[in-house]
Amino acid sequence: MSDIQSAEQLERQHLEHVKQRLQHVLEEINSKVARYAKEIREQKEYLWENKTGMDHVEKISVRQSVDQFVSTADAVQDKGKRIRKLLASPYFGRFDFQASDAKDVRQVYVGVYAFFDEVDQKNLIHDWRAPISTMFYDYETGPAQFVAPDGVVHGSIHLKRQYRIRKGQMDFMLESDLNIHDDVLQKELSLASDDKMKNIVATIQRDQNAIIRNEASDVLIIQGVAGSGKTSIALHRIAFLLYRFKDSIRSSDILIISPNKVFADFISNVLPELGEETIPEMGIEQLATELLQREFKFQTFYEQVSYLLDKNDPGFRDRIKFKASFDFLGQLDRYLDYADENYFKSHDLSINGKLVPEWFMAEKFAAYKHMPIVRRLAKIARDIETNVGIYYHHDVTPKERSEIKAAVRKMFRFSTLRSLYKDFYAWLECPSMCRFQRDGSLEYSDVFPLIYMKMRWDGIQPFGDVKHLLVDEMQDYTPVQYAVLSRLFDCKKTILGDANQSVNPFSSSSASGIRQVFTEADCVQLNKSYRSTYEITDFAQQISSNQDLEVIERHGERPQVVPHADEEQEIEYIRRLALDFPTSGYHSLGIICRTQEQARALQQRIKSLDCKAYLISATSESFIQGIIVCTAHMSKGLEFDHVIVPQVTDKNYHSEIDRSMLYVACTRAMHRLTLTHTGRPSPLLPELSIN
């Protein structure tokens, strides 16, 4: 028997030992749960049978006892869930570490959760987030170190192994003096997709590990190329922070600003897989609706992008670009300061013959400068009422109180937020930059400038209960939006995205632009792309080049651009691909269109040909495994084994925003990419790929 075979046999024996210990603990847990269930049932029966003869104190005591049993049983059941998951896959890595001041070599097995064996009185499995586990990601064999509670521990790694264990069985074991992560990574990347995003604890790379374990940054901006795993890394970072600061932060203290409900559902199982509860999420438009207290109707970002794709409206584009610059934020601040200094004109006021001099209101307005304007005016009115009582010994009547409030409000030039907002553009001498829609609703580019102004107008309550904010798709938010977020959330933040994946190039942000708002932010880059094969990534790079992108050498079939004589032939070809999908070995097929109208029409055509396909729209709330038809906009953040991009014609894809859409669509593909067209192909396609 070779040394490798002998080592693998010993590892399989160790796996069985660990499983036996886990099974023993699980049996104890099941026994405890059964005892707790019996006790709870008996306590409830006792309470029911004796409630008439029990006094109030005894009833409360029994109820508290029941609640305590329920709480304890829930905790034990949660531990049972973790043990069951460990039984299926106890660990994924091992390294043997010898500290410089120690004689013995320590075997460290790394898994999703820790497991302490009460019999052997030692950790059989270390949590991937534990300080010692960082060496698995950061070092190969040789000198190594980690930061323990008592300080830095130096030493060396003598052996390093990685495993894939599924359903309690070891599929493979790799051992190498070199970086074995790449071998395991290639095996994982070659697999077909799951229905949701999965955890990547077994394949975290060194640069990713540094981002995940970053504790120091108040604001961390992650610029990651398409397929770099930035969203997954951000979620693993959240899981690490929940582990590291378990006494001060909980899942409910964190908020994700996500692009849409489908994406939120797609990533929803990552944290539960890592032993944490799902964290709250909110769309940016849901946030806007709450901040505006439903007083204003507005266009959504999705509707804005759809309008850009459907209409050639230079004025609309100009308004978007104008409001998407950092300079615009500065102009808004300057205007609000100007309005504060110049728009309050006080005058003498008479209350039932009692004079309130002009200087009194002016002095109070200046004294309350820290308050929003509407609240300031209300405070001045209350001060007038108080002082009339003190100096004139006059009790203000309800009618007089209303007259005072009305008089003070009129001293400010504008009485509504909408009129103040319109005046801002008059002050800028560009009133054409503010245009309400026919029904009086706001264009999307006006929503957050208005919210920013509202903060100075009548105030907005910050989200003080949020201790960490995660913002995904950072490129889709403007400086004004970030300025709003910075004032609403006085907490640590993780902001991530890719400037090359903006679906609206007229209002996109980069990491450097975001740092103009968050000047204290630290920026990191993830340049390696893991999602797509080399051939797909190379194809997408020819559509929209990113010089920073590094391609992982995972090869597959070349993308196909398939021409057709007419639309019927193109539809039939897509239908055949869809019908072959169930036997392809793939789990997900994304048919990604340019507009929602095209997606809806194509889904209906495919559906009429007895081919089951699900349509994703702006109102969809879940990601469904199988065949999905959607727009490039809605596909952001998602990934599919096979992507079909139909109607890639010169009329459908020709502008810069079309280039962005086509790039996003192509970079959703993991293993296979097919593009179809009739007539003249899009000029954005790589020339060598056009058949």
Side-chain angles (χ1 to χ4, degrees):
M1 182 182 293
S2 68
D3 290 343
I4 294 177
Q5 289 174 323
S6 177
E8 187 166 330
Q9 184 176 2
L10 289 173
E11 287 289 5
R12 293 185 186 279
Q13 290 173 1
H14 178 77
L15 174 60
E16 290 305 313
H17 170 69
V18 172
K19 284 165 56 182
Q20 286 174 9
R21 299 304 310 139
L22 288 167
Q23 186 62 46
H24 176 71
V25 171
L26 184 60
E27 289 170 359
E28 289 183 340
I29 288 173
N30 291 337
S31 178
K32 282 183 181 179
V33 170
R35 289 201 305 272
Y36 286 135
K38 181 182 177 183
E39 187 66 33
I40 291 167
R41 185 172 61 254
E42 289 176 351
Q43 291 270 25
K44 286 183 176 180
E45 288 174 354
Y46 174 80
L47 182 62
W48 176 257
E49 292 171 358
N50 299 278
K51 62 180 181 179
T52 55
M54 297 168 65
D55 60 28
H56 181 66
V57 174
E58 189 177 1
K59 287 180 182 178
I60 292 176
S61 177
V62 174
R63 289 195 184 103
Q64 288 177 340
S65 177
V66 170
D67 290 342
Q68 183 62 47
F69 273 117
V70 170
S71 178
T72 305
D74 287 343
V76 172
Q77 283 185 316
D78 287 341
K79 183 179 179 181
K81 290 178 183 177
R82 292 194 293 272
I83 295 297
R84 288 187 187 92
K85 287 184 178 180
L86 286 178
L87 272 168
S89 184
Y91 45 81
F92 52 81
R94 166 191 167 182
F95 61 94
D96 293 359
F97 177 71
Q98 184 175 20
S100 301
D101 58 354
K103 294 181 179 179
D104 297 330
V105 176
R106 182 178 180 183
Q107 292 182 357
V108 180
Y109 285 85
V110 183
V112 176
Y113 314 121
F115 175 63
F116 183 81
D117 185 10
E118 298 287 350
V119 176
D120 294 340
Q121 286 294 297
K122 69 175 185 178
N123 271 317
L124 290 182
I125 307 169
H126 289 76
D127 192 296
W128 67 278
R129 297 166 291 186
I132 194 172
S133 298
T134 193
M135 290 191 291
F136 177 75
Y137 301 109
D138 290 344
Y139 298 99
E140 305 311 319
T141 52
Q145 65 182 52
F146 72 99
V147 181
D150 296 333
V152 179
V153 178
H154 298 273
S156 60
I157 293 175
H158 297 298
L159 177 147
K160 189 172 178 182
R161 288 174 179 160
Q162 198 154 359
Y163 322 89
R164 182 196 285 160
I165 301 172
R166 298 287 186 272
K167 298 181 179 180
Q169 301 300 313
M170 187 183 297
D171 293 342
F172 63 74
M173 179 192 86
L174 294 176
E175 180 173 349
S176 175
D177 292 334
L178 302 174
N179 190 342
I180 60 176
H181 282 84
D182 290 342
D183 295 327
V184 177
L185 182 62
Q186 289 286 359
K187 290 177 181 289
E188 292 296 325
L189 294 176
S190 65
L191 297 175
S193 64
D194 292 335
D195 59 336
K196 300 282 181 71
M197 183 179 285
K198 51 192 174 184
N199 79 69
I200 58 168
V201 290
T203 57
I204 292 171
Q205 306 297 289
R206 184 177 301 174
D207 58 340
Q208 296 172 336
N209 189 47
I211 294 170
I212 290 169
R213 295 174 187 264
N214 180 317
E215 301 175 24
S217 298
D218 288 333
V219 179
L220 183 64
I221 300 174
I222 306 172
Q223 160 60 40
V225 300
S228 60
K230 53 189 172 292
T231 300
S232 187
I233 293 304
L235 292 171
H236 284 68
R237 170 170 161 75
I238 294 299
F240 170 77
L241 294 174
L242 288 169
Y243 173 89
R244 176 69 178 82
F245 302 103
K246 60 174 73 74
D247 294 331
S248 59
I249 189 170
R250 298 173 298 174
S251 297
S252 58
D253 298 328
I254 300 170
L255 179 66
I256 296 180
I257 302 293
S258 63
N260 54 64
K261 293 291 185 183
V262 174
F263 175 77
D265 180 61
F266 182 66
I267 67 173
S268 63
N269 68 319
V270 174
L271 285 168
E273 276 189 13
L274 298 173
E276 304 295 345
E277 295 178 12
T278 300
I279 60 181
E281 67 84 25
M282 177 184 287
I284 196 75
E285 284 131 14
Q286 181 185 350
L287 177 64
T289 299
E290 290 188 12
L291 296 176
L292 292 173
Q293 299 174 319
R294 303 185 183 276
E295 293 178 11
F296 294 85
K297 293 189 298 181
F298 57 83
Q299 179 188 50
T300 65
F301 181 61
Y302 183 87
E303 289 167 343
Q304 182 195 70
V305 173
S306 297
Y307 187 85
L308 284 169
L309 290 168
D310 292 336
K311 307 289 184 182
N312 182 19
D313 187 341
F316 187 69
R317 293 196 297 269
D318 290 343
R319 291 193 293 277
I320 293 172
K321 287 192 286 186
F322 181 75
K323 298 161 193 174
S325 68
F326 186 75
D327 183 58
F328 175 79
L329 176 59
Q331 290 174 321
L332 190 51
D333 279 326
R334 287 190 290 274
Y335 169 76
L336 290 169
D337 290 339
Y338 174 83
D340 196 282
E341 293 294 330
N342 296 278
Y343 284 2
F344 183 75
K345 303 295 184 183
S346 59
H347 56 74
D348 292 346
L349 195 62
S350 177
I351 312 299
N352 195 22
K354 281 75 175 174
L355 177 68
V356 180
E358 171 274 333
W359 62 262
F360 179 84
M361 279 79 77
E363 188 178 87
K364 291 295 182 180
F365 188 81
Y368 298 141
K369 190 176 180 68
H370 64 284
M371 299 176 66
I373 292 169
V374 172
R375 295 182 191 175
R376 213 185 311 183
L377 299 177
K379 186 73 167 64
I380 293 170
R382 288 196 296 272
D383 287 352
I384 291 172
E385 182 181 341
T386 300
N387 279 269
V388 166
I390 292 173
Y391 292 105
Y392 293 110
H393 305 289
H394 173 70
D395 291 331
V396 173
T397 66
K399 181 181 179 183
E400 289 170 341
R401 185 177 296 117
S402 297
E403 290 172 349
I404 292 171
K405 290 179 180 178
V408 173
R409 281 199 298 266
K410 288 180 180 178
M411 291 179 189
F412 196 82
R413 182 172 175 179
F414 295 101
S415 60
T416 67
L417 178 60
R418 185 184 289 258
S419 58
L420 185 68
Y421 186 68
K422 289 181 69 175
D423 181 70
F424 166 53
Y425 293 94
W427 179 79
L428 288 174
E429 298 182 352
C430 53
S432 63
M433 286 292 114
C434 179
R435 181 173 297 181
F436 295 101
Q437 298 186 69
R438 289 181 180 179
D439 61 355
S441 60
L442 301 169
E443 291 184 345
Y444 182 74
S445 60
D446 287 309
V447 175
F448 280 86
L450 186 75
I451 290 172
Y452 189 80
M453 185 175 283
K454 180 178 172 65
M455 290 177 165
R456 291 277 291 269
W457 174 250
D458 61 359
I460 289 176
Q461 189 69 27
F463 288 70
D465 55 339
V466 174
K467 296 181 180 178
H468 197 105
L469 181 70
L470 193 156
V471 181
D472 207 345
E473 301 295 346
M474 69 182 190
Q475 68 277 4
D476 290 338
Y477 305 121
T478 64
V480 174
Q481 287 176 296
Y482 283 112
V484 169
L485 292 176
S486 71
R487 286 156 176 77
L488 287 176
F489 300 96
D490 184 20
C491 62
K492 291 194 172 186
K493 301 172 183 70
T494 301
I495 303 171
L496 58 142
D498 179 16
N500 278 38
Q501 292 187 69
S502 173
V503 292
N504 181 358
F506 307 114
S507 66
S508 60
S509 291
S510 63
S512 59
I514 297 169
R515 282 196 72 183
Q516 290 184 279
V517 177
F518 299 105
T519 54
E520 77 281 20
D522 295 317
C523 295
V524 293
Q525 285 194 299
L526 293 171
N527 292 329
K528 287 185 180 179
S529 180
Y530 300 96
R531 177 188 295 134
S532 307
T533 62
Y534 179 92
E535 290 75 15
I536 292 172
T537 303
D538 180 63
F539 182 89
Q541 280 283 83
Q542 294 179 68
I543 294 171
S544 180
S545 177
N546 182 350
Q547 299 301 319
D548 295 327
L549 188 145
E550 301 172 28
V551 186
I552 292 293
E553 291 277 342
R554 178 174 67 88
H555 289 279
E557 62 181 272
R558 289 171 56 85
Q560 289 185 296
V561 179
V562 185
H564 298 283
D566 54 41
E567 183 181 342
E568 291 299 324
Q569 190 182 91
E570 184 179 13
I571 295 291
E572 177 57 27
Y573 179 77
I574 294 171
R575 173 180 171 271
R576 286 203 311 272
L577 290 177
L579 288 174
D580 291 342
F581 166 71
T583 58
S584 66
Y586 293 142
H587 297 159
S588 59
L589 169 62
I591 304 175
I592 304 179
C593 301
R594 179 176 176 271
T595 69
Q596 190 65 35
E597 184 180 343
Q598 291 170 357
R600 186 179 295 106
L602 183 58
Q603 189 257 356
Q604 290 297 321
R605 292 289 301 275
I606 294 175
K607 189 176 177 182
S608 68
L609 296 170
D610 297 327
C611 189
K612 194 171 186 179
Y614 300 95
L615 178 69
I616 289 181
S617 69
T619 59
S620 300
E621 296 193 356
S622 60
F623 180 83
I624 303 169
Q625 194 175 55
I627 303 174
I628 285 178
V629 184
C630 62
T631 63
H633 183 181
M634 288 302 300
S635 74
K636 288 179 65 176
L638 307 180
E639 57 187 28
F640 304 91
D641 293 320
H642 183 191
V643 165
I644 301 171
V645 187
Q647 301 170 308
V648 190
T649 66
D650 58 342
K651 292 182 179 179
N652 212 24
Y653 290 95
H654 57 273
S655 66
E656 281 308 300
I657 191 170
D658 294 332
R659 184 186 300 277
S660 298
M661 293 293 182
L662 190 57
Y663 178 79
V664 169
C666 292
T667 54
R668 301 308 95 197
M670 297 172 64
H671 307 296
R672 186 179 179 190
L673 174 63
T674 305
L675 302 94
T676 65
H677 68 87
T678 59
R680 292 171 61 87
S682 167
L684 304 177
L685 289 172
E687 288 187 16
L688 294 177
S689 68
I690 300 173
N691 297 332

